[in-house]
Amino acid sequence: ECFGGLRDGDMTLMKDPVPRARRSADLLSTILEDAGVNASSAVRVTGKDGLAPLIWLCRHGFDDVAYVHYDGGGPRDPADVLLILQSTPPAELEHLLNERPCLREGGLLIVQTPALKTESGRDPIHLIPERAGYVVERCVPRRSNEIHVARRRAPADRRKAA
């Protein structure tokens, strides 16, 4: 036995979290940069796993970062970006977007969801932000989940789409 009751052969099952975390940080950095988000953007983070991205943003020079609780706690001013970087089930995402729209017009929603597909090939997750007034601009598939990037439309654009 090696340590913690693991046998030598069991070590192959363990994965080093550092490379995965680095890849996740690189992906987040790329998504933010591609979307035009910069250090002066007002970024709000929510979800049970929001602490890690919040700290990462602060350490990378973002000036206006805050955590927003699902129940409405946190800053009330409209943000430029809302990050939900946990695997958010569809019902939870719909509730969050309808109950707490904290993004300005043109603001960016970045949300991680389970990877779901229909027989038509259309991602059913895209319907949720679209119904709440967002346009999905990008979808980044990962192993068992996807990261969706959507922009909040202006009210006039939402009425046209309805």
Side-chain angles (χ1 to χ4, degrees):
E1 290 194 45
C2 147
F3 59 89
L6 295 174
R7 294 180 300 281
D8 289 332
D10 293 338
M11 293 303 289
T12 58
L13 299 176
M14 296 180 69
K15 302 222 187 261
D16 183 1
V18 174
R20 181 170 181 243
R22 189 169 296 124
R23 284 191 310 268
S24 294
D26 290 344
L27 178 60
L28 177 59
S29 181
T30 300
I31 288 172
L32 293 172
E33 186 177 309
D34 289 352
V37 178
N38 58 47
S40 64
S41 299
V43 181
R44 302 298 173 253
V45 180
T46 193
K48 64 182 179 197
D49 296 332
L51 184 59
L54 180 83
I55 292 170
W56 184 90
L57 289 162
C58 290
R59 287 184 176 169
H60 285 82
F62 285 80
D63 299 327
D64 188 359
V65 180
Y67 185 85
V68 179
H69 289 276
Y70 272 36
D71 64 2
R76 295 275 182 209
D77 55 323
D80 299 314
V81 181
L82 176 62
L83 289 176
I84 312 170
L85 295 178
Q86 66 190 36
S87 194
T88 308
E92 191 175 325
L93 176 60
E94 191 156 23
H95 174 75
L96 178 67
L97 294 179
N98 290 322
E99 297 298 318
R100 182 101 167 106
C102 63
L103 284 174
R104 65 167 178 77
E105 293 172 11
L108 201 65
L109 168 69
I110 301 173
V111 61
Q112 181 174 301
T113 66
L116 304 173
K117 297 291 181 207
T118 61
E119 289 179 15
S120 70
R122 176 142 165 80
D123 189 334
I125 295 292
H126 292 183
L127 297 173
I128 296 168
E130 287 170 2
R131 284 193 301 257
Y134 294 81
V135 175
V136 178
E137 296 181 347
R138 184 175 182 189
C139 184
V140 180
R142 301 187 76 198
R143 285 185 186 170
S144 61
N145 57 49
E146 297 173 320
I147 297 177
H148 305 272
V149 180
R151 195 164 302 274
R152 189 161 186 239
R153 293 185 294 229
D157 293 338
R158 283 183 258 170
R159 284 191 294 275
K160 287 179 198 173

